[in-house]
Amino acid sequence: MAEQAGGGISNVMREERVFPPSAEFAAQARIKSMEEYEALWTQAAADPPKFWADLARDELHWFEPFSKALVWNEPVAEWFVGGKTNACYNCVDKHVVEGRGDRTAIIWEGEPGDQRTLTYAELQTEVSKCANALKSLGIGVGDVVSIYMPMTPELAIAMLACARIGAVHSVIFAGFSAEAIADRNNDAGAKLVITSDGAWRRGKVLPLKETVDEALAKSPTVEHCLVLKRAGDAPTMQEGRDVWWHDVVDSASADCPAEPLDSETPLFILYTSGSTGKPKGIKHTTAGYNLYAKKTFEWVFDHRDDDIYWCTADCGWITGHSYIVYGPLAAGAQVMMYEGAPNHPAEDRFWDIIERHKVTIFYTAPTAIRAFIKWGDDLVKKHDLTSLRILGTVGEGINPEAWMWYHRMIGGERCPIVDTWWQTETGGIMMSPLPGAIPTKPGSCTKPLPGIIPSIVGTDGQEVDTNQGGMLTIAHPWPGMLRGIWGDMDRYEQVYWSRVKGKYLAGDNARCDEDGYYWIMGRIDDVLNVSGHRLSTIEIESALVSHAAVAEAAAVGRPHELKGDAVAVFVTLCDAEPTEELREELRQHVRKEIGALAVPDDIRFTSSLPKTRSGKIMRRLLRDIAAGREAAGDTTTLEDYTVLAKLREKEA
Ligand code: ATP
Ligand code: MG
């Protein structure tokens, strides 16, 4: 059969379950009905700059008002031009000034069980001291500060302290190697690295400072290293270069007013997860990003004053930036923060935290949910999770079966699930159910947020029949959008703006069903072309995962003389034995769920799949293995190198 016009993708998955919010939930929500959502979306789409400008005036503090909402010279956007604000002020001082200083800002729990709570007023003091310490180390507006720290309150404090004085933070996940740290230091020209002596992980101490020392030997731009004492290690401190946090921050003055900064002052650099290639250093700026993180947080999580909100991401990823720090704190939320592993001391640590802290909103990733399922229901049943009222997911598509488990086991069939689609580049959530307004369908991120105008196009860049699927683009700039790739505007233009004129190319495929619900189908690069039919990875994977024996699955194309691509799948099992019978059963299962077209040619059982450090399946590496090639391309963000070695051994 010939390839469909415009390169549409065969839509083979049928998912018909719909879950509306309860009447009681909707009645108390910020946005209470589909009609209300649609009215807001339509109003925003009519004039996005005006929509965002009205919000910006109301929601952010302006030292000087802006004169223009948007200046758009594709692909360069400037939002709230001429205004002066400060993201740290909006997240911290604003609440203190407005009389909410005694409100809890951060509820923190360390992996060993130590706890700390900071009010907004206390946060203001800590951040101001840290900001003064940064100044004493020669850091000012525009200087880049790398942060390589465990999930302690000081990590958030360090980020906010940078924002307070106009320094640009670049948070590096504290599991990366010295090589990856040095790459990022050099790419960004970092002047300072903030780290800690160590970090707790599964009861052991990771020697962060040692790793940083190794990186600093190859980071010529770095002048100082600020070290927090966390794990009780005694690292070597290099005279003149390294200083202890307790020496310079604790003794610093708590008087450090937030710097009025131009709206477009760079706020941070953050490298993408590296799922599809070498990580890109994404640049975000102050006002637009801050507004977008705040509003999307309030809409999607339906935030209320009595909520205890917990996002399990690490601040090393965009989810931690937007939905632990900048969004919730700008909204004045009470934010739970946890330092360690989900399976320490036992595999019910998360449920234990929810029960003890009475968490009401829980936001995590599909990779975690798949692990919870594997660890078993008994661990969940031991705990009272009735405080929860909203569940969220982000990072990858969630297979409908995992969605159902989350809904039943964690949400008690009572909590709306917000499946949030977005990217490091988008700064905040782009598509998600609004929990009081939009009925959910397992596996769909449902609808675009107000001000976001998606458009699905074919490989030729023209709009296609959206139900069929194509490349997902965004048709109008939005305040949270990236402003570039750090130091490489050409790559920025080429990656996001060259293939489809006038629209932001997300790099994912999606389709939109007859109810206007969006379904992310996987990465553009990962689409399989089987006998002229373009198949998305997620549908084949979801079919496999819906079999009781399968824990995780990854589908990739293997070059095939006749078909174009043969379907190769990599499967991890729950408890089942990897037998030839099971292989055949899985083939039949896919045939029944999807059809003959998607039946896997190769099924390989494996104990684990290669993932990025943020927990995403790296299909590009599996593609190489399926084709019998050496894995080419960047592997610096691979979580566990032994997984690749094991997969190759099986090959031999
Ligand atoms: P790189 O850009 O370096 O390849 P990455 O795209 O994984 O890495 P991130 O910005 O962390 O880097 O992830 C964004 C991507 O994650 C999206 O483009 C999408 O493919 C996937 N994603 C995020 N949330 C969802 C979701 N709710 N449903 C489906 N996919 C999602
Ligand atoms: Mg990406």
Side-chain angles (χ1 to χ4, degrees):
M1 205 178 288
E3 186 169 321
Q4 292 134 353
I9 302 166
S10 301
N11 156 24
V12 285
M13 191 159 64
R14 297 208 72 76
E15 177 55 62
E16 280 151 357
R17 291 170 285 199
V18 180
F19 297 85
S22 70
E24 191 193 348
F25 187 101
Q28 294 183 19
R30 282 174 181 253
I31 299 172
K32 298 177 173 27
S33 66
M34 190 67 114
E35 293 69 42
E36 203 180 316
Y37 156 75
E38 278 169 354
L40 189 62
W41 191 88
T42 308
Q43 177 212 333
D47 189 350
K50 175 170 188 313
F51 174 76
W52 292 116
D54 289 346
L55 287 174
R57 269 187 288 268
D58 290 349
E59 311 263 348
L60 300 182
H61 171 80
W62 294 97
F63 296 100
E64 277 174 37
F66 55 90
S67 54
K68 199 156 174 31
L70 170 67
V71 175
W72 178 229
N73 291 307
E74 190 190 321
V76 179
E78 290 174 86
W79 282 90
F80 314 127
V81 180
K84 283 194 196 298
T85 184
N86 183 293
C88 178
Y89 187 96
N90 290 316
C91 290
V92 181
D93 304 63
K94 193 166 185 289
H95 306 300
V96 179
V97 170
E98 292 173 3
R100 295 187 299 276
D102 290 340
R103 193 174 151 74
T104 299
I106 295 175
I107 308 160
W108 176 78
E109 188 166 307
E111 194 186 74
D114 39 345
Q115 301 198 12
R116 207 170 139 201
T117 302
L118 286 160
T119 63
Y120 277 93
E122 287 164 344
L123 188 58
Q124 184 185 39
T125 304
E126 297 298 320
V127 168
S128 302
K129 285 180 161 193
C130 181
N132 272 329
L134 296 184
K135 284 185 185 171
S136 75
L137 293 169
I139 299 300
V141 177
D143 289 330
V144 176
V145 176
S146 293
I147 302 179
Y148 183 75
M149 290 177 87
M151 282 289 288
T152 52
E154 285 81 2
L155 169 48
I157 289 166
M159 291 165 70
L160 291 164
C162 289
R164 194 169 191 83
I165 61 173
V168 184
H169 58 72
S170 165
V171 182
I172 304 168
F173 174 63
F176 277 122
S177 65
E179 204 64 44
I181 304 169
D183 276 355
R184 286 160 173 71
N185 284 342
N186 294 330
D187 187 51
K191 234 173 122 175
L192 171 73
V193 175
I194 309 181
T195 187
S196 72
D197 54 351
W200 290 103
R201 199 71 191 172
R202 285 191 194 92
K204 295 207 179 74
V205 175
L206 302 178
L208 298 195
K209 172 66 165 57
E210 251 177 50
T211 310
V212 167
D213 282 340
E214 215 184 308
L216 291 189
K218 295 174 229 154
S219 309
T221 58
V222 176
E223 294 166 7
H224 290 287
C225 180
L226 176 59
V227 188
L228 175 76
K229 199 159 201 60
R230 165 62 190 142
D233 263 21
T236 21
M237 297 290 280
Q238 195 184 99
E239 180 92 41
R241 185 192 73 186
D242 303 346
V243 288
W244 284 108
W245 180 288
H246 53 259
D247 285 337
V248 293
V249 177
D250 291 1
S251 59
S253 152
D255 181 23
C256 180
E259 192 78 33
L261 299 168
D262 283 333
S263 293
E264 284 297 335
T265 306
L267 179 61
F268 64 85
I269 308 167
L270 186 64
Y271 292 81
T272 56
S273 293
S275 308
T276 60
K278 187 173 153 52
K280 301 166 282 270
I282 302 300
K283 176 170 93 175
H284 282 287
T285 59
T286 300
Y289 169 81
N290 200 187
L291 175 71
Y292 196 70
K294 175 176 197 269
K295 280 320 294 178
T296 53
F297 170 76
E298 291 174 346
W299 284 328
V300 171
F301 297 104
D302 188 43
H303 177 249
R304 297 200 308 233
D305 272 353
D306 56 352
D307 278 319
I308 306 286
Y309 162 85
W310 184 24
C311 165
T312 68
D314 191 283
C315 284
W317 317 120
I318 190 66
T319 305
H321 281 59
S322 302
Y323 299 110
I324 294 178
V325 180
Y326 291 108
L329 293 180
Q334 311 186 89
V335 181
M336 176 80 218
M337 190 173 178
Y338 169 59
E339 176 185 36
N343 53 356
H344 189 85
E347 287 162 347
D348 62 348
R349 181 66 184 262
F350 278 14
W351 320 132
D352 183 46
I353 290 177
I354 292 174
E355 181 173 13
R356 279 186 291 107
H357 293 280
K358 305 221 169 349
V359 171
T360 60
I361 305 172
F362 178 64
Y363 189 29
T364 195
T367 184
I369 296 170
R370 293 187 302 252
F372 303 148
I373 296 174
K374 215 170 167 178
W375 293 340
D377 296 0
D378 290 345
L379 288 168
V380 184
K381 288 181 188 149
K382 273 172 44 188
H383 296 278
D384 176 6
L385 304 182
T386 51
S387 57
L388 289 171
R389 64 180 200 96
I390 295 177
L391 303 177
T393 152
V394 61
E396 291 179 288
I398 177 165
N399 308 120
E401 294 313 307
W403 195 104
M404 288 305 299
W405 183 90
Y406 200 27
H407 170 70
R408 255 195 330 268
M409 283 308 297
I410 309 304
E413 300 187 0
R414 151 192 97 248
C415 306
I417 295 180
V418 292
D419 175 355
T420 62
W421 175 80
W422 59 296
Q423 311 175 293
T424 309
E425 293 88 337
T426 66
I429 297 167
M430 301 292 276
M431 295 206 264
S432 167
L434 298 182
I438 303 181
T440 48
K441 300 186 189 184
S444 167
C445 58
T446 74
K447 305 236 168 194
L449 295 189
I452 300 307
I453 306 171
S455 157
I456 295 177
V457 303
T459 41
D460 55 1
Q462 299 301 310
E463 294 229 353
V464 290
D465 171 0
T466 52
N467 204 349
Q468 204 179 64
M471 302 193 294
L472 177 59
T473 68
I474 307 295
H476 194 284
W478 67 101
M481 68 192 278
L482 76 167
R483 300 299 196 268
I485 292 179
W486 193 260
D488 197 347
M489 286 311 271
D490 289 343
R491 188 172 175 209
Y492 168 64
E493 176 147 22
Q494 184 239 319
V495 173
Y496 306 103
W497 302 95
S498 62
R499 229 170 129 180
V500 183
K501 275 287 153 228
K503 292 174 181 174
Y504 166 79
L505 181 72
D508 288 338
N509 285 306
R511 69 184 172 84
C512 179
D513 70 17
E514 51 287 351
D515 299 324
Y517 277 55
Y518 286 83
W519 300 78
I520 302 298
M521 305 175 86
R523 314 296 182 125
I524 291 176
D525 301 345
D526 289 344
V527 168
L528 285 75
N529 197 331
V530 181
S531 308
H533 286 272
R534 290 158 56 80
L535 295 180
S536 76
T537 49
I538 187 95
E539 297 186 324
I540 304 171
E541 293 162 5
S542 291
L544 287 161
V545 171
S546 73
H547 188 283
V550 176
E552 290 189 298
V556 298
R558 167 174 62 75
H560 186 280
E561 258 177 55
L562 301 174
K563 297 202 237 184
D565 277 331
V567 180
V569 302
F570 294 78
V571 169
T572 68
L573 298 175
C574 293
D575 283 327
E577 286 300 312
T579 60
E580 201 45 54
E581 290 72 52
L582 180 59
R583 218 177 241 124
E584 190 47 38
E585 203 178 306
L586 292 179
R587 283 206 181 89
Q588 291 313 322
H589 185 73
V590 172
R591 184 187 303 275
K592 178 169 81 42
E593 293 287 309
I594 308 184
L597 198 63
V599 172
D601 297 84
D602 314 344
I603 298 182
R604 297 180 206 208
F605 297 117
T606 167
S607 54
S608 39
L609 297 171
K611 290 184 183 168
T612 64
R613 280 166 212 265
S614 54
K616 300 167 192 240
I617 298 170
M618 288 171 93
R619 293 184 190 75
R620 64 186 163 94
L621 301 182
L622 292 173
R623 216 161 33 227
D624 290 335
I625 289 171
R629 290 189 296 259
E630 242 336 271
D634 187 279
T635 52
T636 55
T637 63
L638 182 62
E639 182 189 36
D640 180 354
Y641 290 91
T642 64
V643 174
L644 266 194
K646 275 190 220 139
L647 282 163
R648 274 206 217 93
E649 254 167 44
K650 281 204 183 162
E651 213 51 37

